[in-house]
Amino acid sequence: MTYLSSGFSVERWTRSSRSAVFGCVIVLAVLALAPPLMGAGAVDRLTALFVYVILAVMWNALAGYGGLVSVGQQAFFGLGAYFTVRLADAGLNPFVSLLAAAFITAALSVPLSFFMLRLRGGEFAIGMWVISELVHLLVNLDQLIQGETGTSLISLNAYDSATRRAAIYWMALIAMAGLLGLLFVLLRSRAGAAIQAIRDNEDAATSVGVKVMATKRLLFVLAAFGVAVAGGLWLATATTFQPKTYFSIQWTAYMIFMVLVGGIGKFEGAILGAILFFVIETYFGSMGVWYLIGLGATAVLFSLYMPHGLWGAVERRFALRLLPIGYRLTLPKYLMDQHDR
């Protein structure tokens, strides 16, 4: 906490936020011990939850903090899975292939960013969808993939099911924790302040010396990397790769739903949204088209009546900040008393 004159103070860490970080460490430690103690179904479901958290946090970083609303992130999700299959077929260990595929996808996103980041608003959103469809068509041309027939990550069969399931679980847990930690540190840095300044007013950010394109490119590539990791993890769990599944716009729709419900532009909101989506899918996912209609209706209602999401409502009501990104100005007591009156 930094104290200013006349009783004003600026704070970032609070007692609740320190407790939250400590609690997160405890939860991660407990989750790391889960595979030997839980059944196969529970381990698979938790792995899916970790993937959902990664997807929500990456889309929230791109749109909620960077102002880059994309409806084409399934391009990176599909590429993460595709390159995993390709590298594994070339003889690379499938678990190493998963990580290498994410780096290849991130590398490809760099030249892509030189074109896409020139677009703004709806042009960027639709442009990303067009890129996703183009990449989908190109992947279908690969003879290994056999069009929409797809293929499988058969090299995973070298491991017994229990070992494979535990390894994928731990990889997903480490990836989720690592990406959350990396994004948290980034957003609290000078680059994070620049990212949010660009979101609020790109022209104003340029006028004060922010390197707009370089900063946006950093966030774009990070989001591509994270979503590609999620795609590879999902493939490792399902083992089967079909382009129409991995390049489906439903993945971006899920990301948008999680972030809107949890709270766009809120670090805790994306995590909360992913957990809520996971619970809804677990109990209502078997309802087919009605499940999808329900998700869409819920997202619309939240956009209209709770635009800051669930976490935004909690934060406004209780002034609770568990994982603070920015700063908060605390007023002196006499001003707070006058405000209460």
Side-chain angles (χ1 to χ4, degrees), residues 38-161:
M38 300 175 66
V43 171
D44 286 341
R45 291 306 298 154
L46 279 176
T47 303
L49 173 60
F50 301 156
V51 172
Y52 291 152
V53 171
I54 292 172
L55 290 175
V57 169
M58 289 296 104
W59 196 86
N60 188 45
L62 192 66
Y65 288 104
L68 297 169
V69 178
S70 169
V71 293
Q73 293 305 100
Q74 65 270 18
F76 305 122
F77 187 84
L79 283 175
Y82 167 70
F83 284 124
T84 299
V85 169
R86 252 292 164 204
L87 293 172
D89 182 72
L92 192 63
N93 179 281
F95 297 115
V96 177
S97 297
L98 192 157
L99 183 60
F103 279 106
I104 293 174
T105 302
L108 289 176
S109 73
V110 174
L112 178 63
S113 69
F114 283 90
F115 300 97
M116 298 310 301
L117 294 180
R118 295 181 180 274
L119 305 178
R120 295 190 183 186
E123 292 179 347
F124 175 81
I126 299 303
M128 284 303 303
W129 176 77
V130 172
I131 291 295
S132 174
E133 291 301 304
L134 178 60
V135 171
H136 181 184
L137 292 174
L138 291 174
V139 167
N140 276 345
L141 297 177
D142 190 336
Q143 294 184 354
L144 174 67
I145 306 304
Q146 305 176 65
E148 295 296 353
T149 302
T151 186
S152 298
L153 192 61
I154 55 177
S155 56
L156 279 178
N157 294 331
Y159 303 88
D160 66 87
S161 59

Side-chain angles (χ1 to χ4, degrees), residues 259-264 266 272 302 306-315:
V259 173
L260 284 181
V261 171
I264 189 168
K266 306 292 182 183
L272 176 60
F302 268 84
M306 198 178 288
H308 299 285
L310 288 176
W311 186 256
V314 170
E315 191 178 71

Side-chain angles (χ1 to χ4, degrees), residues 83-282:
F83 284 124
T84 299
V85 169
R86 252 292 164 204
L87 293 172
D89 182 72
L92 192 63
N93 179 281
F95 297 115
V96 177
S97 297
L98 192 157
L99 183 60
F103 279 106
I104 293 174
T105 302
L108 289 176
S109 73
V110 174
L112 178 63
S113 69
F114 283 90
F115 300 97
M116 298 310 301
L117 294 180
R118 295 181 180 274
L119 305 178
R120 295 190 183 186
E123 292 179 347
F124 175 81
I126 299 303
M128 284 303 303
W129 176 77
V130 172
I131 291 295
S132 174
E133 291 301 304
L134 178 60
V135 171
H136 181 184
L137 292 174
L138 291 174
V139 167
N140 276 345
L141 297 177
D142 190 336
Q143 294 184 354
L144 174 67
I145 306 304
Q146 305 176 65
E148 295 296 353
T149 302
T151 186
S152 298
L153 192 61
I154 55 177
S155 56
L156 279 178
N157 294 331
Y159 303 88
D160 66 87
S161 59
T163 300
R164 181 172 68 240
R165 181 173 290 107
I168 296 169
Y169 174 93
W170 281 317
M171 287 186 71
L173 178 62
I174 292 170
M176 179 189 70
L179 287 168
L180 282 171
L182 177 61
L183 184 62
F184 186 68
V185 171
L186 174 65
L187 292 175
R188 287 170 59 89
S189 68
R190 293 182 63 181
I195 288 169
Q196 295 173 74
I198 294 169
R199 173 198 62 191
D200 296 336
N201 192 317
E202 186 170 320
D203 294 330
T206 302
S207 69
V208 295
V210 173
K211 297 180 179 179
V212 172
M213 291 304 293
T215 303
K216 290 168 67 174
R217 184 168 297 112
L218 171 64
L219 191 60
F220 184 84
V221 173
L222 175 61
F225 175 80
V227 173
V229 168
L233 288 168
W234 195 267
L235 171 66
T237 303
T239 69
T240 301
F241 177 75
Q242 291 180 305
K244 64 182 178 182
T245 298
Y246 285 82
F247 288 98
S248 171
I249 198 172
Q250 76 172 20
W251 292 108
T252 296
Y254 290 162
M255 297 180 214
I256 295 173
F257 175 85
M258 291 185 282
V259 173
L260 284 181
V261 171
I264 189 168
K266 306 292 182 183
F267 196 88
E268 304 92 336
I271 301 172
L272 176 60
I275 295 172
L276 289 174
F277 175 75
F278 171 77
V279 172
I280 293 171
E281 185 196 51
T282 300

